[in-house]
């Protein structure tokens, strides 16, 4: 029975891993290569708008002029799937829709997933294909714009125009013979243009519900077999109980180990792997006691990233995290194993160096400053740091030490950043 459970655990783990990493179902439509793409305009409805379409190797270029003449002027492109009428593609199993569209001007864009429904379709009448739509402003979306099927709705004007029953007016992507990209509600009159690389539909080859249902059924059948075996073999049940007790002991040991690892992780910064303030307090106390006992010099260095807020505001917090991680790796590789690197908070770091005079600490800080300036922590821009260096004094209150280093750091910032400032201890008489 243990063997069956182990096999089932392996099967479950493999299935979940495969679902996450290997069961992607992707449909790519590269409009530069896809042959069934045509330009469209409101001229078919009596309008006067004009459009032209050219292809490159990787995209289509749309140039248009929206003109008065139709109540709702529009231009766009049509992308035909299947036969473009009644036999399209089933897009209902995809959970993400990517649109590569770069506009030349402001205004919204409509994306229509035109669906076939035999109860609503009128032969050779393209307008009877259901208008599953989403409207967005490309300049306010990432590139590519990403949508999920739940964000689509059936166009209200189409429901009203065709007097559709409310139960039929539901989004259905199971048979899409036509995709349209059109100018939206607030597209301004006049000239405009798009560059459209294409669309991508991404999902899984098996739905999460089906996968979970299959695994649950597999677990259920397995445990049913186990229960039957237990019913007919009581002695084996007793043996299994003993094994479970042994496993419980192992779990208790594992919990103790996990507890120990948790206590360790509580003293580390989860992003950079450096010590956090909680972990640093013990190191600081130990070094202070050693200094009081032996007189061996201990240096304290605080530094932070120049203009870090601008990095976060310009490129986002993921890039900001990349700066922090890469900076920690760079610094950790340049200091001794006996030195302590601490993430002090935000973009601030601290280095505590035992058996290090303030002169050597200043030399190390300058070496780190130059290395950071010369490195490529992120590709988007150069990153620099400002430093404040001081030395611990026997019997000194740690708050005084930190305040002195902070003052030196502030001086570095006030004097142009990307520099090292050293602060020595001065006694008040």
């Amino acid at each position: 029975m243990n063997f069956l459970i182990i096999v089932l655990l392996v099967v479950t783990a493999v299935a979940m891993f495969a679902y996450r990493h290997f069961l992607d179902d992707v449909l790519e439509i590269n409009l530069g290569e896809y042959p069934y793409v045509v330009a469209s305009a409101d001229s078919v409805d009596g309008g006067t708008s004009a459009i032209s379409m050219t292809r490159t190797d990787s995209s289509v270029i749309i140039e248009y002029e929206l003109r008065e003449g139709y109540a709702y002027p529009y231009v766009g492109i049509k992308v035909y799937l299947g036969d473009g009428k009644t036999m399209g593609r089933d897009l209902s199993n995809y959970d993400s829709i990517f649109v590569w569209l770069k506009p030349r001007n402001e205004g919204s864009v409509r994306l229509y997933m035109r669906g076939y429904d035999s109860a609503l379709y009128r032969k050779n009448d393209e307008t009877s294909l259901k208008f599953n739509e989403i409207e967005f402003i490309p300049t306010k979306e990432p590139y590519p714009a990403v949508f999920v099927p739940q964000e689509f709705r059936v166009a209200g004007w189409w429901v009203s125009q065709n007097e559709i029953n409310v139960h039929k007016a539901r989004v259905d992507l199971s048979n899409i013979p036509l995709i349209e990209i059109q100018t939206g509600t607030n597209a301004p009159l006049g000239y405009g243009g798009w560059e459209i690389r294409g669309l991508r539909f991404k999902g899984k080859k098996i739905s999460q519900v089906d996968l979970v249902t299959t695994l649950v059924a597999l677990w259920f059948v397995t445990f049913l077999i186990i229960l039957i075996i237990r019913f007919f073999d009581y002695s084996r049940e007793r043996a299994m109980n003993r094994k479970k007790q042994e496993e419980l002991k192992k779990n208790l040991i594992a919990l103790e180990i996990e507890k120990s690892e948790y206590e360790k992780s509580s003293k580390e910064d989860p992003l950079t792997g450096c010590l956090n303030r909680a972990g640093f307090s013990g190191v600081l106390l130990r070094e202070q006691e050693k200094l009081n006992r032996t007189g061996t010099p201990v240096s304290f260095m605080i530094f932070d990233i120049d203009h870090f807020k601008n990095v976060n505001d310009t490129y986002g917090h993921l890039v900001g995290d990349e700066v922090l991680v890469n900076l920690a790796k760079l610094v950790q590789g340049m200091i001794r194993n006996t030195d302590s690197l601490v993430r002090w908070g935000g973009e601030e770091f601290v280095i505590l160096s035992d058996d290090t005079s303030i002169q050597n600490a200043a030399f190390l800080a300058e070496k780190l400053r130059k290395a950071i300036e010369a490195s490529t922590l992120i590709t988007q821009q150069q990153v620099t740091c400002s430093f404040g260096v001081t030395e611990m004094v026997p019997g000194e209150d740690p708050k005084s030490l930190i305040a002195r280093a902070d003052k030196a750091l502030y001086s570095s910032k006030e004097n142009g950043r990307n520099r090292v400032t050293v602060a020595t201890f001065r006694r008040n008489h």
Side-chain angles (χ1 to χ4, degrees):
M1 287 186 289
N2 281 343
F3 176 76
L4 288 175
I5 293 174
I6 291 172
V7 170
L8 194 56
L9 284 170
V10 171
V11 169
T12 301
V14 170
M16 297 301 291
F17 183 82
Y19 177 82
R20 185 169 184 177
H21 297 281
F22 298 108
L23 294 179
D24 287 341
D25 184 11
V26 178
L27 170 62
E28 291 272 5
I29 303 178
N30 183 343
L31 296 186
E33 301 174 352
Y34 193 75
Y36 307 112
V37 183
V38 298
S40 63
D42 56 22
S43 55
V44 298
D45 296 310
T48 60
S49 298
I51 185 172
S52 65
M53 182 181 76
T54 57
R55 291 180 183 266
T56 68
D57 291 338
S58 60
S59 63
V60 294
I61 308 297
I62 305 299
E63 301 288 342
Y64 65 81
E65 182 184 3
L66 281 181
R67 304 169 181 164
E68 295 181 347
Y70 178 60
Y72 306 101
Y74 69 87
V75 296
I77 62 168
K78 296 181 178 181
V79 181
Y80 291 95
L81 308 177
D83 65 3
K85 296 179 179 179
T86 61
M87 298 296 294
R89 292 292 298 263
D90 183 359
L91 305 180
S92 60
N93 292 324
Y94 297 103
D95 52 32
S96 300
I97 302 168
F98 299 77
V99 182
W100 279 267
L101 184 149
K102 288 184 178 179
R104 200 175 66 197
N105 56 344
E106 298 292 331
S108 61
V109 172
R110 287 196 185 101
L111 173 62
Y112 290 126
M113 299 291 173
R114 303 288 299 280
Y116 170 77
D117 186 330
S118 59
L120 305 176
Y121 183 73
R122 298 183 294 274
K123 187 175 182 180
N124 297 324
D125 183 0
E126 195 173 271
T127 63
S128 64
L129 293 174
K130 184 181 292 186
F131 281 75
N132 303 297
E133 73 166 6
I134 190 168
E135 186 164 354
F136 64 99
I137 301 175
T139 55
K140 295 184 178 180
E141 296 287 338
Y143 184 79
V146 185
F147 308 104
V148 297
Q150 293 80 359
E151 294 172 325
F152 281 77
R153 60 180 178 82
V154 177
W157 61 265
W158 182 82
V159 172
S160 175
Q161 178 177 300
N162 291 275
E163 299 180 349
I164 305 298
N165 181 284
V166 66
H167 300 293
K168 288 290 184 179
R170 296 174 179 172
V171 172
D172 181 7
L173 305 181
S174 61
N175 186 356
I176 303 296
L178 173 61
I179 298 174
E180 287 190 73
I181 302 176
Q182 285 186 5
T183 51
T185 305
N186 61 350
L189 296 176
Y191 293 97
W194 301 333
E195 179 185 6
I196 312 174
R197 278 182 51 197
L199 302 101
R200 175 189 293 164
F201 299 86
K202 187 176 180 181
K204 295 293 182 181
K205 294 179 180 178
I206 178 174
S207 72
Q208 189 173 15
V209 172
D210 291 341
L211 177 64
V212 172
T213 301
T214 301
L215 291 174
V216 169
L218 191 59
W219 277 89
F220 177 80
V221 171
T222 302
F223 278 105
L224 181 62
I225 293 172
I226 292 174
L227 289 174
I228 293 172
I229 294 173
R230 285 183 171 182
F231 180 78
F232 288 104
D233 192 351
Y234 180 72
S235 62
R236 182 178 298 178
E237 175 66 19
R238 295 184 63 185
M240 286 296 297
N241 286 336
R242 288 194 296 270
K243 289 183 179 180
K244 285 185 177 181
Q245 291 177 358
E246 294 173 0
E247 290 176 357
L248 180 59
K249 292 179 181 178
K250 291 179 181 179
N251 288 337
L252 289 174
I253 294 172
L255 286 173
E256 289 296 327
I257 295 173
E258 184 177 346
K259 178 183 176 183
S260 176
E261 291 176 347
Y262 174 78
E263 290 175 352
K264 179 183 177 182
S265 65
S266 68
K267 297 179 180 180
E268 292 181 352
D269 174 53
L271 178 64
T272 62
C274 303
L275 288 174
N276 59 21
R277 289 200 181 198
F280 177 65
S281 60
V283 176
L284 181 61
L285 180 61
R286 184 183 69 236
E287 292 299 333
Q288 190 173 37
E289 290 175 349
K290 181 180 177 182
L291 172 64
N292 294 337
R293 187 177 65 256
T294 66
T296 304
V298 179
S299 290
F300 183 93
M301 179 191 312
I302 186 166
F303 62 99
D304 74 355
I305 302 167
D306 297 328
H307 304 296
F308 184 72
K309 183 178 183 301
N310 291 344
V311 174
N312 278 332
D313 292 345
T314 304
Y315 309 111
H317 288 279
L318 289 180
V319 175
D321 288 350
E322 183 182 356
V323 173
L324 295 171
V325 171
N326 291 338
L327 175 62
K329 289 180 179 178
L330 173 65
V331 173
Q332 196 72 64
M334 295 181 65
I335 62 177
R336 302 172 302 179
N337 292 334
T338 56
D339 295 339
S340 299
L341 177 61
V342 185
R343 186 177 177 192
W344 198 243
E347 70 273 25
E348 279 192 337
F349 291 79
V350 159
I351 298 175
L352 188 69
S353 301
D354 66 337
D355 196 16
T356 303
S357 66
I358 193 169
Q359 293 82 5
N360 288 339
F363 176 81
L364 173 61
E366 183 61 20
K367 183 179 177 182
L368 290 173
R369 186 195 66 78
K370 290 179 179 178
I372 294 167
E373 183 181 26
S375 66
T376 305
L377 297 183
I378 53 172
T379 57
Q380 290 86 343
Q381 70 171 58
Q382 183 189 48
V383 175
T384 61
C385 288
S386 300
F387 292 73
V389 180
T390 190
E391 185 175 350
M392 188 183 294
V393 175
E396 181 184 20
D397 185 345
K399 292 181 180 179
S400 173
L401 172 72
I402 295 168
R404 191 164 61 253
D406 260 329
K407 187 174 181 181
L409 173 61
Y410 181 79
S411 179
S412 291
K413 289 178 171 292
E414 285 291 297
N415 289 294
R417 291 185 170 85
N418 190 24
R419 63 180 61 243
V420 175
T421 302
V422 178
T424 56
F425 176 78
R426 295 182 182 181
R427 295 187 181 275
N428 294 321
H429 300 285

